[in-house]
Amino acid sequence: MSSSVIVGTQWGDEGKGKIIDIMAAKADVVVRSSGGNNAGHTVVHGDQVYKLHLLPSGILYPETLCLIGSGVVVDPAVLLEEIKNMNERGVTCDNLRIDARADIIMPWHRLLDKLSEEFKAKQTGVNIGTTGRGIGPCYTDKDERIGIRMYDLVHPEVLKKKIQETGELKNLIITKVYGGEACDLDAIYEEYKGYGEKLAKYMADASVITFEAYQAGKNVLFEGAQATLLDIDFGTYPFVTSSHPIAGGACVGTGVGPKMIDEVIGVGKSYTTRVGNGPFPTELFDETGDYIRNAGGEFGTVTGRPRRTGWFDAVVARYAVRVNGLTDVVINKIDPLRGLPKLKVCVAYKLKNGETVTEFPANFMDLVDCEPVYEEFDGFDEDITNCRSFEELPATVQSYIKELERIIECPITMLGVGPARDQVMTIK
């Protein structure tokens, strides 16, 4: 038996979907444990490109059981549309199961997300930079214990009562606080009752299924959404997501104990990107940043927004190694760095008070206007996208990866030289 957790080591968009897809080919169960449709995984499978938002990446393997855990917030309209699109492309989703405890995104969540962001921007000039898909407000209701869950969708009387009770409260906030237009609660009830009828066949207990699979000696893969620095506790708060994309979140969001985790694989890129607001010490505002963004296709899977781009941040990577307990690291997208004469790696931060630190600060304000301390390495001009072994890579690329491994203090065991599955090589 084996179980693996895959997490992002930066601010997201590290190419986790591809690595999950590779590992899902050997997994019996793939579990999505956190986040919602604000996350996006791009998977290249054969000659087809799939952009997944709620469906676990293992959905492309009909023999692999795919679970959406209780830690995920589900927009039923988005999920059903995603299932429909996959069916039209010849992918069956009969292997999908959704935990009955998973909270449901309601129309007022999306509306409040938008109104709240507008209010913050107007009051302070700064907002969080959410995707506006209602993720945060849904988690807020979950913590406030007034959320609507998957099992409510298949109990119409309970659903109607909860929509009226919670909806009336939300309408007061929407209209009285933000000056917005109230939601039509009767229409919402009819809409969501219909979703329940369509999703009922997928409902299950992900905790039981995962535990029994592990006990039976099957391979279980926990799929992380977003990344370490977006964690609600350990990310660059308040510019974070509303859940726990670190390794520990796999246990909380699925309902299994930490003793069931055998390895934790962190996925990063050979450079760093970020979407939305918040500090970003190695961000590049020059032609180099534009070059990496365009060469790497750094535009959001969900939103299409250009991603902020910067050099590899080893302070962040070491932090990810620590808080996740990483056993292995995968480095994706080394190929977009082709043509740059020098490659820089941030190994420390010089703070505004003159102090130099090598550990990631607990207070994100320490990151504001801090100066990255770089080590510099030779670049490469060769096309490496056809390399399939570490030994085939140019000496400068081999040296760069070995230096990254030394600096982040964790084995780098896989390297991506392109978007396809066969462009990921095993190093050790």
Side-chain angles (χ1 to χ4, degrees):
M1 80 181 78
S2 70
S3 67
S4 306
V5 179
I6 296 182
V7 297
T9 60
Q10 299 162 327
W11 276 284
D13 310 307
E14 301 97 343
K16 296 181 296 297
K18 177 175 62 175
I19 305 306
I20 292 165
D21 178 49
I22 291 171
M23 297 191 67
K26 299 177 287 186
D28 300 296
V29 179
V30 176
V31 189
R32 169 83 183 273
S33 56
S34 66
N37 60 302
N38 57 335
H41 285 165
T42 300
V43 176
V44 179
H45 193 73
D47 60 351
Q48 297 292 308
V49 178
Y50 299 89
K51 295 185 182 294
L52 307 176
H53 306 301
L54 278 169
L55 291 173
S57 297
I59 202 71
L60 300 173
Y61 300 93
E63 300 304 317
T64 300
L65 191 59
C66 292
L67 308 179
I68 294 177
S70 62
V72 179
V73 291
V74 178
D75 188 321
V78 172
L79 179 58
L80 286 166
E81 182 64 22
E82 194 168 349
I83 291 172
K84 175 176 175 288
N85 290 340
M86 295 297 278
N87 291 165
E88 289 173 351
R89 298 181 66 178
V91 178
T92 176
C93 293
D94 294 341
N95 52 334
L96 175 68
R97 302 292 182 271
I98 310 167
D99 196 288
R101 306 174 188 87
D103 278 64
I104 298 299
I105 294 175
M106 305 298 292
W108 54 72
H109 293 139
R110 294 189 295 270
L111 181 55
L112 284 168
D113 202 350
K114 176 176 177 290
L115 292 170
S116 175
E117 283 285 276
E118 292 173 353
F119 180 82
K120 291 169 188 170
K122 190 179 296 182
Q123 293 294 310
T124 66
V126 178
N127 55 25
I128 301 300
T130 75
T131 59
R133 285 161 170 77
I135 310 300
C138 186
Y139 277 114
T140 297
D141 281 4
K142 179 178 184 175
D143 289 342
E144 200 175 343
R145 298 174 294 280
I146 58 172
I148 295 174
R149 295 187 156 188
M150 274 294 297
Y151 54 67
D152 296 324
L153 294 185
V154 295
H155 295 91
E157 292 306 313
V158 175
L159 177 64
K160 189 169 188 177
K161 184 174 184 290
K162 286 193 171 184
I163 286 176
Q164 289 297 322
E165 291 175 349
T166 303
E168 287 177 7
L169 172 62
K170 298 303 177 182
N171 275 342
L172 283 174
I173 299 171
I174 290 166
T175 58
K176 302 301 183 183
V177 176
Y178 295 116
E181 185 175 343
C183 297
D184 184 336
L185 302 184
D186 290 333
I188 290 173
Y189 166 69
E190 293 298 331
E191 178 185 353
Y192 276 70
K193 183 177 70 170
Y195 294 149
E197 293 168 357
K198 294 178 180 178
L199 291 172
K201 66 179 181 178
Y202 300 108
M203 203 174 301
D205 188 327
S207 175
V208 170
I209 294 172
T210 306
F211 179 77
E212 291 181 346
Y214 185 80
Q215 290 294 100
K218 295 183 178 180
N219 294 324
V220 180
L221 179 64
F222 296 90
E223 173 180 355
Q226 286 115 1
T228 300
L229 290 187
L230 295 176
D231 186 87
I232 187 67
D233 283 327
F234 294 98
T236 46
Y237 188 90
F239 301 100
V240 293
T241 193
S242 303
S243 59
H244 294 288
I246 59 173
C251 296
V252 176
T254 305
V256 298
K259 289 177 67 176
M260 283 180 55
I261 306 302
D262 298 318
E263 62 179 0
V264 184
I265 301 168
V267 183
K269 287 185 287 204
S270 65
Y271 50 92
T272 312
T273 62
R274 179 164 196 176
V275 172
N277 295 320
F280 184 176
T282 66
E283 185 170 10
L284 295 168
F285 300 95
D286 56 11
E287 292 180 356
T288 300
D290 292 336
Y291 177 90
I292 295 173
R293 180 183 301 107
N294 291 322
E298 296 300 343
F299 301 90
T301 301
V302 175
T303 64
R305 290 186 293 190
R307 296 173 185 145
R308 300 160 63 190
T309 306
W311 291 116
F312 186 88
D313 192 328
V315 180
V316 165
R318 287 195 300 268
Y319 181 66
V321 169
R322 173 162 57 84
V323 300
N324 291 294
L326 298 184
T327 57
D328 303 81
V329 169
V330 178
I331 296 295
N332 273 322
K333 287 193 167 183
I334 182 71
D335 47 299
L337 298 183
R338 175 190 180 189
L340 294 173
K342 293 293 180 179
L343 307 180
K344 295 183 179 182
V345 175
C346 173
V347 295
Y349 302 146
K350 185 176 182 180
L351 306 183
K352 286 191 292 185
N353 64 5
E355 180 185 4
T356 297
V357 298
T358 57
E359 293 293 340
F360 195 75
N363 182 2
F364 93 91
M365 286 301 295
D366 287 337
L367 297 175
V368 178
D369 297 326
C370 77
E371 180 183 339
V373 178
Y374 288 113
E375 287 190 21
E376 197 171 87
F377 305 94
D378 290 334
F380 62 98
D381 292 317
E382 298 90 340
D383 180 1
I384 62 172
T385 57
N386 292 318
C387 295
R388 294 298 179 268
S389 70
F390 191 69
E391 292 70 27
E392 293 179 64
L393 294 168
T396 50
V397 177
Q398 293 186 38
S399 176
Y400 178 68
I401 295 302
K402 290 175 182 176
E403 288 301 309
L404 287 189
E405 185 176 70
R406 172 186 63 82
I407 295 167
I408 68 175
E409 300 174 1
C410 187
I412 297 174
T413 55
M414 298 174 74
L415 179 66
V417 296
R421 294 174 79 253
D422 66 352
Q423 290 177 300
V424 178
M425 65 182 66
T426 299
I427 299 178
K428 298 176 182 177

